[in-house]
Amino acid sequence: MTRASRGLRPGTVRDSLPGILIGLAAACLLGNGGDAHDRLNLEIKLTREQLVHNFDTIVFHNEFDSHVDQKLRKWVAPVRIYLDIRTGDPKLIRETVASHVAHLVDISGYDIELTDDPGAANTNVVFERENMLDTVKADYFPPSFDIRTVMQTNLCIGQYQSNAHFEIIKAVVVIPIDRVMARGRLKACVIEELTQVLGLPNDSDDVFPSVFNDHSPDIELTAQDILLVQLLFDSRLTAGMSRYRALELVQAILMEKGIDEFPVISTPEN
């Protein structure tokens, strides 16, 4: 990829069993004397410094190489999403995507809408059978992209492109619907991939709890994820801004919000 077209995330929803990673101070509490039906609660407080670090990790870093972006890549135009539904239940797919888009609009305040006009879209979400992915590749990816190899270890993928001004200009998400539905992961794929192509492309085991962590049990945006989205879409952070300045502003915004410690509660599935 060139610097003007960064964002391929072949690993944002992995085809593996979720585990639990605790890299922060946490209290593990069992209620009612450890009854077999009790659930394990992980109560985690993130410091402001940890939140800044996590924003840096998810927005500027890349899990697949050592490259660190030194400029902020961000949408400046309204996001218009077209659902390229080639197979699957259109009603279920539309409802799942529409629900998450409404959530993203609510938490970000950004102009994000579904469109029925592919010509008006700058983000395409493709739903196709796994055995037809070569057709998806031909329609949306360069010949050098090995979609088969990528999909051997990933349920779904997302990619965005940015221009010379570090403005994100288009994105594509690919969801092999038969494989995803067989694992009950449609909602997880939609939530993670559509959120990441907004400009939060990285996955990291250091960021927990989060859908941006391949070993986290979370499939919905966590409180931390919501905060990271809100920070990215704060109007004071602009496309092309230096990484150093963006992280300074994130620190200042958190201070402005009075966040010294940010309580997060995650309840993994038993």
Side-chain angles (χ1 to χ4, degrees):
M1 285 179 290
T2 66
R3 288 182 61 83
S5 62
R6 180 201 179 222
L8 179 63
R9 314 314 308 163
T12 50
V13 177
R14 299 221 183 251
D15 189 8
S16 61
L17 293 175
I20 299 175
L21 264 179
I22 308 174
L24 305 172
C28 299
L29 306 176
L30 286 172
N32 300 323
D35 184 270
H37 295 93
D38 290 338
R39 297 176 67 85
L40 176 65
N41 291 325
L42 302 180
E43 295 188 359
I44 303 170
K45 284 188 176 182
L46 303 175
T47 66
R48 184 167 62 241
E49 289 71 24
Q50 287 169 324
L51 289 169
V52 174
H53 171 78
N54 289 349
F55 181 90
D56 182 31
T57 297
I58 297 301
V59 173
F60 290 102
H61 285 70
N62 187 336
E63 66 178 310
F64 300 103
D65 59 48
S66 59
H67 176 75
V68 180
D69 266 348
Q70 296 302 319
K71 297 288 187 179
L72 182 69
R73 298 175 192 267
K74 186 172 178 178
W75 286 93
V76 297
V79 178
R80 293 294 178 262
I81 302 169
Y82 177 73
L83 302 184
D84 184 354
I85 304 174
R86 304 181 179 193
T87 189
D89 182 343
K91 183 174 184 292
L92 174 63
I93 289 170
R94 290 182 184 281
E95 287 178 351
T96 303
V97 176
S99 175
H100 185 53
V101 168
H103 189 210
L104 289 173
V105 170
D106 183 55
I107 64 178
S108 70
Y110 200 66
D111 187 357
I112 310 170
E113 292 182 2
L114 292 171
T115 178
D116 292 325
D117 178 6
N122 49 25
T123 299
N124 291 275
V125 187
V126 190
F127 298 86
E128 180 57 285
R129 295 182 186 88
E130 187 175 5
N131 64 4
M132 295 295 291
L133 290 178
D134 288 338
T135 302
V136 176
K137 170 188 171 178
D139 291 341
Y140 289 99
F141 295 93
S144 60
F145 180 59
D146 189 351
I147 195 168
R148 291 288 179 186
T149 298
V150 169
M151 285 301 185
Q152 286 178 4
T153 54
N154 300 279
L155 280 178
C156 39
I157 58 172
Q159 180 189 55
Y160 64 68
Q161 281 190 299
S162 54
N163 61 22
H165 302 290
F166 304 94
E167 300 164 343
I168 300 176
I169 55 174
K170 65 179 179 178
V172 60
V173 170
V174 179
I175 299 179
I177 191 67
D178 50 345
R179 187 177 179 189
V180 166
M181 293 299 290
R183 290 160 174 78
R185 300 286 286 177
L186 174 62
K187 187 175 182 180
C189 276
V190 166
I191 288 175
E192 183 172 351
E193 298 301 344
L194 274 180
T195 305
Q196 292 203 290
V197 296
L198 291 182
L200 302 108
N202 196 22
D203 285 330
S204 174
D205 290 348
D206 293 336
V207 180
F208 182 90
S210 173
V211 297
F212 308 133
N213 180 327
D214 289 332
H215 297 96
S216 171
D218 298 287
I219 63 170
E220 302 267 7
L221 295 183
T222 67
Q224 176 178 204
D225 297 334
I226 290 170
L227 180 61
L228 294 180
V229 170
Q230 291 171 336
L231 289 167
L232 176 63
F233 280 92
D234 189 290
S235 61
R236 286 166 282 188
L237 274 67
T238 57
M241 175 179 286
S242 74
R243 173 182 169 224
Y244 177 80
R245 179 57 181 155
L247 296 179
E248 270 191 336
L249 282 172
V250 167
Q251 176 94 355
I253 293 166
L254 292 172
M255 291 179 66
E256 181 182 284
K257 291 177 177 288
I259 298 176
D260 294 317
E261 289 186 330
F262 189 72
V264 182
I265 299 176
S266 176
T267 306
E269 297 179 0
N270 289 328

